[in-house]
Amino acid sequence: MPVGTLRRIIRFVPSLLLAAGVACRGSDASERGATDADGSAGTGGTLIIVVPAEPTTLFPPLVSSTQGLAVISTIFEKLADIGSALETYGDAGFVPRLASSWQWAADSLSIAFTLDSLARWHDGAPVRAEDVRYSFRAFTSDSVGSEAKSSLGNIDSVTVRDARTVEFWFKRRMPQQFFEATYYVEILPSHLLDTIPLARVASSAFARAPVGTGAFRFSRWEAGQRIEVIADTANPRGRAKLDRVLWTIAPDFGAATIKLFSGDADFFEKVRPENLAQVASSPTLRLIKNPALQYGFLGFNLRDPSSAATAHPIFGDSLVRRALAMSVDRERLVRNVFDSLGLVALGPAPRALISDTAAFRQMPFDVRAAAALLDSAGWRDSNADGVRDKNGVPLAFDLLVPNSSQNRQRYAVLLQEQWRPLGVRVTPRVLDVNALIERIESHRFDAYMGGWQTTPGLRGAQQTWASAGSSNYGRYESPAFDALLDSALTTFDGAASRQYWARTFQQIIDDAPAIWLYEEQTPIALHRRFLVPPLRADGWYYGLATWRVDPAQRIARDGIGVGSPP
């Protein structure tokens, strides 16, 4: 589609959203989310979610994609769940899940959790304290390699007091101790896994057919086609309202939208701008605000892909990274790709989590200054071929892009065009999501188009950008950033915390290990028959057990039930 046509369509969409404002916020019925018209609780129904890629595993310590997190959130549970306000200091607002209660030690250096006596695994076995201890070991084991490990560094150990009591011991008092102990770790069944070496669990049958304690139990996974979970009708703490949830895998976004508009799917998370008008005018679909804590960026690899001990021949120099960042018109790119449905990212966190967005300065858009920086760093076009070079190395690199994100593909092309006049040659490489993840996790890349769904409280910045962060794929190392980040996360003084965060953001912006590009504000498309509560910003999928189908709007597949094939 020509860019001019795309702009006209996008400009038309906001007026549609305003005209259908109730649909965008969620209808009155969906916001009530309480009872059906006859006053009954109402159960039954099938939700079909279309996704452009499937997870690589359902073993929770190794799940990082949105698709995988959505699936395991229905099957597994945590000790406690964060409240709707997403408060991370202390335990205020947290809701009991597998733990029915907890007790802080007098010195606040340990928390004892008492497990719910009714909690059962889907195979009928009771949940025990040993399951919690095993789960922490799995999430922190080097042989497993979970991305969450770096977020659990303040937990010294987990001990079993008795069959239903487990105690977390901390290295030091921190504002987010309770959050750290409960948010990152789904509890795993030790009675099914403790005989398997941790290094082999990810390749075991469990990783493809997991057993949890959640309101849904795993049903089946047909590779490349669908994943299905069904309501655990025997769950002693209450069954899910829906009978089943299916994730159907489409080969690309075009196929996904066809499924959505043909009625073969009920839910699509990433509606493209050009499809918003069609959703808004659909008699069966509606748009729901998705307050996702996400940001998109271009990440540089600061080390040589072939040798971790050597700086990257291009991006090892901060002057080059700063020059590339300064030569990008981020505001223009956001408007081109998202129109009014996107914002320029301010740093490695969405602005909703930044207490003072004006307390640090952004990299200016200045192409002339960027060219001067490259000149001063020794990158000049010595052979008049249009590409700068230094010591025989051209200023050229590959940019990895996931095939599941057309927005990131557009960004890659626009960045290519913005950098060409500067004497920089960029080659976008579109890869299957799983292939891209494998490349960046093994650090075999120059640069990549990334996107993070962040955690509340900015705790995830330690995982993604600290020197020892398990998801620090670009191998950014800055003692100054690490120290500021640690201070921001550990101080109990609110004013001091805001000051530390401002300095932390300024440090990483100046170091430029990435170019902070956008915050996407794309709404979700959902079939009108579903009654849903307000979506959580840290993951729309939390609370799926409470989603219901309006009895007056049921369709054929809502009568399938739990025990019958779809």
Side-chain angles (χ1 to χ4, degrees):
M1 177 182 296
V3 174
T5 304
L6 174 63
R7 286 198 185 112
R8 286 194 294 273
I9 291 176
I10 292 177
R11 287 193 181 110
F12 179 63
V13 167
S15 61
L16 280 176
L17 296 181
L18 288 173
V22 174
C24 189
R25 293 191 298 270
S27 69
D28 291 341
S30 69
E31 289 176 344
R32 283 198 307 269
T35 59
D36 298 332
D38 62 1
S40 65
T43 59
T46 296
L47 172 68
I48 299 180
I49 301 167
V50 61
V51 293
E54 67 181 330
T56 57
T57 180
L58 293 181
F59 181 48
L62 294 179
V63 174
S64 59
S65 69
T66 301
Q67 294 86 0
L69 290 170
V71 177
I72 67 169
S73 73
T74 67
I75 301 171
F76 295 93
E77 293 179 290
K78 302 171 183 178
L79 290 173
D81 199 9
I82 194 169
S84 58
L86 302 183
E87 177 56 64
T88 61
Y89 275 39
D91 59 6
F94 279 82
V95 180
R97 285 294 180 253
L98 285 179
S100 58
S101 62
W102 48 84
Q103 182 68 47
W104 289 79
D107 61 2
S108 298
L109 287 176
S110 71
I111 308 173
F113 292 89
T114 299
L115 300 179
D116 188 339
S117 61
L118 297 178
R120 295 288 185 275
W121 294 102
H122 292 151
D123 63 2
V127 177
R128 291 291 181 253
E130 182 55 41
D131 297 324
V132 182
R133 178 165 62 180
Y134 172 86
S135 302
F136 177 77
R137 185 160 62 92
F139 272 85
T140 56
S141 169
D142 288 335
S143 61
V144 173
S146 172
E147 291 186 354
K149 179 183 177 182
S150 57
S151 297
L152 301 169
N154 190 41
I155 300 176
D156 179 75
S157 60
V158 176
T159 59
V160 171
R161 186 183 293 179
D162 57 50
R164 287 184 50 220
T165 309
V166 63
E167 194 159 9
F168 280 68
W169 300 86
F170 300 88
K171 298 173 184 177
R172 56 178 174 165
R173 291 180 64 247
M174 292 178 63
Q176 299 185 1
Q177 283 172 246
F178 193 87
F179 173 75
E180 185 176 0
T182 59
Y183 190 85
Y184 294 98
V185 177
E186 288 84 11
I187 306 306
L188 306 169
S190 63
H191 70 287
L192 297 178
L193 298 174
D194 60 5
T195 59
I196 306 173
L198 281 172
R200 292 169 50 194
V201 176
S203 59
S204 70
F206 182 91
R208 301 283 301 187
V211 175
T213 62
F216 292 91
R217 60 171 65 219
F218 174 83
S219 175
R220 59 176 176 158
W221 182 352
E222 297 177 17
Q225 298 184 55
R226 65 183 61 84
I227 297 174
E228 178 187 44
V229 298
I230 59 176
D232 180 24
T233 57
N235 194 303
R237 294 173 297 152
R239 66 155 285 176
K241 300 295 185 183
L242 297 174
D243 285 334
R244 59 190 348 104
V245 180
L246 288 94
W247 284 262
T248 178
I249 293 91
D252 53 50
F253 267 64
T257 53
I258 290 174
K259 282 180 176 286
L260 179 70
F261 291 120
S262 67
D264 292 330
D266 303 307
F267 177 102
F268 189 42
E269 182 182 4
K270 296 287 187 181
V271 182
R272 292 174 178 171
E274 62 264 32
N275 296 131
L276 290 176
Q278 187 176 359
V279 175
S281 61
S282 169
T284 60
L285 299 171
R286 59 192 174 99
L287 295 167
I288 295 181
K289 182 179 180 181
N290 182 19
L293 300 177
Q294 299 176 348
Y295 66 93
F297 61 94
L298 181 147
F300 299 114
N301 192 348
L302 276 60
R303 312 300 297 177
D304 192 316
S306 61
S307 174
T310 307
H312 192 283
I314 297 174
F315 304 130
D317 188 344
S318 64
L319 290 180
V320 175
R321 303 194 304 270
R322 287 177 60 84
L324 292 176
M326 292 172 64
S327 59
V328 172
D329 188 346
R330 298 184 296 154
E331 184 69 40
R332 179 183 172 192
L333 295 188
V334 165
R335 296 284 74 81
N336 192 300
V337 177
F338 298 110
D339 194 76
S340 60
L341 297 177
L343 299 169
V344 174
L346 302 180
R351 46 181 40 78
L353 296 180
I354 302 174
S355 58
D356 189 353
T357 59
F360 50 94
R361 64 187 181 280
Q362 295 295 306
M363 195 85 71
F365 170 52
D366 190 333
V367 177
R368 184 174 297 180
L373 276 179
L374 291 176
D375 288 343
S376 66
W379 292 93
R380 301 171 181 270
D381 186 1
S382 63
N383 54 7
D385 65 350
V387 179
R388 293 172 182 263
D389 56 83
K390 180 180 179 180
N391 300 327
V393 177
L395 187 47
F397 59 91
D398 287 348
L399 177 58
L400 304 188
V401 192
N403 68 346
S404 62
S405 175
Q406 187 181 45
N407 290 332
R408 279 184 258 180
Q409 292 176 45
R410 290 174 177 168
Y411 259 95
V413 173
L414 293 170
L415 288 166
Q416 181 186 45
E417 294 304 313
Q418 285 207 352
W419 279 329
R420 181 178 286 117
L422 192 64
V424 181
R425 186 175 70 228
V426 181
T427 305
R429 305 288 187 189
V430 180
L431 300 178
D432 170 78
V433 174
N434 294 328
L436 182 140
I437 290 174
E438 191 278 328
R439 287 280 297 274
I440 63 175
E441 286 184 343
S442 60
H443 310 289
R444 294 185 297 109
F445 69 93
D446 294 317
Y448 75 103
M449 294 297 301
W452 282 119
Q453 167 77 31
T454 61
T455 58
L458 294 172
R459 190 70 174 82
Q462 197 165 45
Q463 173 183 321
T464 50
W465 300 106
S467 298
S470 50
S471 301
N472 181 5
Y473 301 130
R475 293 182 283 199
Y476 166 57
E477 295 182 11
S478 168
F481 174 80
D482 292 344
L484 289 167
L485 178 61
D486 182 75
S487 297
L489 289 170
T490 56
T491 181
F492 286 85
D493 183 293
S497 176
R498 288 190 292 273
Q499 293 176 6
Y500 279 126
W501 277 118
R503 294 171 61 192
T504 301
F505 285 120
Q506 192 64 68
Q507 184 67 51
I508 197 169
I509 288 171
D510 291 344
D511 290 340
I515 302 176
W516 322 110
L517 293 173
Y518 62 87
E519 294 179 34
E520 192 173 355
Q521 298 181 312
T522 304
I524 283 171
L526 178 67
H527 196 284
R528 290 181 179 275
R529 73 186 192 280
F530 289 95
L531 309 178
V532 303
L535 305 184
R536 255 174 55 176
D538 60 331
W540 63 262
Y541 36 81
Y542 292 117
L544 255 177
T546 66
W547 290 31
R548 299 183 299 120
V549 172
D550 182 348
Q553 300 188 60
R554 292 182 187 274
I555 61 176
R557 60 173 172 259
D558 293 322
I560 293 173
V562 173
S564 306

